[in-house]
Amino acid sequence: MNAPHTLPAPPKPGSPEAIADATSFVRFERVRKSYDGIHFVVEDLNLAVRKGEFLTMLGPSGSGKTTSLMMLGGFEEPTFGHIFLGDEPVERLAPEKRNIGFVFQSYALFPHMTVAENVAFPLRYRGIKGTAAADKVAKALGMVHLGHLAARKPCQMSGGQQQRVALARALVFDPTLVLMDEPLGALDKQLREHMQVEIKQLQRMLGITMVYVTHDQSEALTMSDRIAVFNDGRVQQLAAPEMLYEQPANSFVAGFIGENNLMPATVDATEGGIATLTMGDGSRLQAPNPAGVAVGAKARLAIRPERFFIQVGDARGPLNILRGPITDMFYLGDHVRLSVAVGGDKPVVARIPVSQRRPFARGETVTLGCAVTDCRLLEG
Ligand code: ADP
Ligand code: MG
């Protein structure tokens, strides 16, 4: 598959791609990685991270995120391809010369050291001592609001506090790049959401380049400037959060980011960028066709649950209408979640705001409307 992010050939000097590369700070070029010499867990990774950017590698477990991060950090070697940090291929740089900070899911603090000693560790390693070191430790602990706990041991702290110490340790030596691999995975939901905002604010304030790994799409949407969506060792799409949500490049991205109804469809005609589709039950619908899916091709029509509304009376504007009995319904405070059997292989899910709610009943037939422009046609 040729995802839009791939850079198949080196860009021409002066081209937009070359300029993007010139401002990029980290670059993966045609990187492939195999642990066993047979199977590639990272396939043809081409990715440029801009200076000061918060870039997230998002994908399901086993999709190659950690391996990609480890190659950037210098803990794994690419089987093929190159990674650049600034203009330098990292292969020539020892990990400690890369000036990279790390935060992992397991806090990896030294249990016998105090918080301050843990944070000072990267400085000692770099030959920074005395008051210069003490000042940097105090500043880093201040940034994560732990100045008052400098003398504690890690075992005397909560998980959230320990992860803050790990964060301070990653920032203390003024790294130009920080890598984080599922750093909030062990925290409960409320603390996780709080830390997401805090990390994002620190990154913005310090102007550091961040490459962040998570399998949690809402975390990625909250924190990132851009997200690289991984599946099966390949980047499926690289885009800003809103773009990923509104214009997913394929069915995987459409289904992985947020919720989507992905309905099998056949393309009958396509004119002026709008395709006419036959659905599984024989009904006809329309959708914009930006990817240019060909007539006759098997396709999927993607419609977000929140884009449906209950249609009453005559349709106005270019609308798709789906009709069927309610098979399931859940009241969720701000919306009602309906499953409606519209005739395809599975019911569509619609989120109807409570303000639109009338008393629904299971088995009742409803008419769902959806603006044609809120639908999206995808290959496959
Ligand atoms: P993710 O972080 O997206 O969950 P990983 O990069 O950890 O994915 O793993 C990608 C694939 O590589 C998985 O199939 C995993 O089992 C395999 N893998 C990861 N690390 C190693 C290793 N050190 N040796 C062998 N296989 C590995
Ligand atoms: Mg991982």
Side-chain angles (χ1 to χ4, degrees):
M1 207 200 75
N2 271 329
H5 67 279
T6 54
L7 304 170
K12 289 199 190 89
S15 67
E17 291 81 357
I19 292 160
D21 271 8
T23 59
S24 76
F25 181 53
V26 172
R27 226 160 68 241
F28 289 85
E29 274 188 18
R30 290 176 216 136
V31 170
R32 304 180 76 199
K33 173 68 179 178
S34 176
Y35 288 105
D36 58 10
I38 301 165
H39 175 66
F40 283 90
V41 301
V42 174
E43 288 271 11
D44 196 29
L45 178 60
N46 295 283
L47 187 65
V49 185
R50 299 165 187 153
K51 198 155 179 64
E53 179 173 37
F54 196 118
L55 184 132
T56 296
M57 296 175 172
L58 170 70
S61 175
S63 58
K65 309 179 297 292
T66 294
T67 300
S68 299
L69 203 69
M70 291 294 120
M71 290 191 287
L72 176 54
F75 302 110
E76 290 289 350
E77 246 181 87
T79 311
F80 296 111
H82 297 283
I83 302 174
F84 296 87
L85 201 54
D87 291 328
E88 276 194 273
V90 286
E91 293 92 291
R92 297 198 203 129
L93 283 179
E96 67 274 16
K97 292 271 168 62
R98 299 184 188 191
N99 206 32
I100 297 177
F102 283 96
V103 183
F104 302 101
Q105 177 171 353
S106 58
Y107 318 122
L109 301 176
F110 301 109
H112 58 286
M113 291 185 188
T114 65
V115 164
E117 286 163 352
N118 265 285
V119 174
F121 190 80
L123 299 175
R124 211 164 77 186
Y125 194 69
R126 287 168 172 79
I128 303 169
K129 295 182 209 131
T131 49
D135 287 350
K136 281 183 183 292
V137 170
K139 189 175 150 227
L141 282 175
M143 285 192 291
V144 299
H145 316 295
L146 283 181
H148 59 299
L149 298 181
R152 288 230 182 137
K153 293 276 175 65
C155 64
Q156 298 168 304
M157 308 181 90
S158 71
Q161 288 171 331
Q162 290 186 46
Q163 197 55 309
R164 281 205 166 86
V165 177
L167 186 58
R169 188 178 56 180
L171 297 173
V172 72
F173 55 93
D174 303 318
T176 40
L177 175 63
V178 174
L179 310 183
M180 296 197 179
D181 193 350
E182 312 257 5
L184 309 179
L187 307 181
D188 64 48
K189 185 169 182 286
Q190 208 179 351
L191 187 55
R192 203 162 64 223
E193 287 172 355
H194 180 82
M195 289 294 291
Q196 287 166 7
V197 175
E198 211 166 288
I199 291 173
K200 176 72 197 175
Q201 282 172 346
L202 270 177
Q203 179 267 338
R204 209 178 272 157
M205 185 184 86
L206 300 171
I208 349 165
T209 310
M210 184 83 82
V211 181
Y212 191 96
V213 162
T214 183
H215 66 273
D216 179 337
Q217 47 111 2
S218 83
E219 185 162 301
L221 292 174
T222 303
M223 301 178 84
S224 317
D225 296 314
R226 289 190 303 162
I227 300 171
V229 181
F230 278 63
N231 192 36
D232 277 345
R234 285 181 186 273
V235 175
Q236 306 291 317
Q237 189 171 7
L238 169 65
E242 188 176 338
M243 188 80 170
L244 279 186
Y245 193 85
E246 297 294 340
Q247 298 180 34
N250 57 39
S251 297
F252 178 81
V253 177
F256 195 75
I257 310 284
E259 200 183 358
N260 233 322
N261 295 290
L262 289 166
M263 299 174 265
T266 308
V267 182
D268 294 332
T270 171
E271 208 190 312
I274 301 285
T276 307
L277 312 167
T278 300
M279 307 307 291
D281 66 341
S283 65
R284 307 287 296 273
L285 299 179
Q286 291 195 308
N289 186 9
V293 183
V295 171
K298 288 258 173 273
R300 277 177 195 276
L301 177 61
I303 307 181
R304 298 274 182 199
E306 75 274 16
R307 302 291 158 88
F308 283 118
F309 49 85
I310 298 292
Q311 174 70 28
V312 279
D314 290 340
R316 279 201 201 156
L319 277 188
N320 283 322
I321 297 292
L322 294 90
R323 212 176 140 72
I326 296 172
T327 57
D328 235 334
M329 49 185 263
F330 299 96
Y331 174 78
L332 287 153
D334 59 336
H335 72 276
V336 182
R337 188 181 163 87
L338 301 179
S339 294
V340 181
V342 296
D345 53 350
K346 55 181 181 199
V348 298
V349 173
R351 291 170 64 114
I352 305 298
V354 161
S355 54
Q356 272 198 42
R357 183 179 183 242
R358 39 189 194 93
F360 295 118
R362 208 172 264 110
E364 170 194 349
T365 293
V366 288
T367 304
L368 297 173
C370 178
V372 167
T373 48
D374 279 340
C375 302
R376 191 168 169 87
L377 187 64
L378 298 165
E379 268 173 45

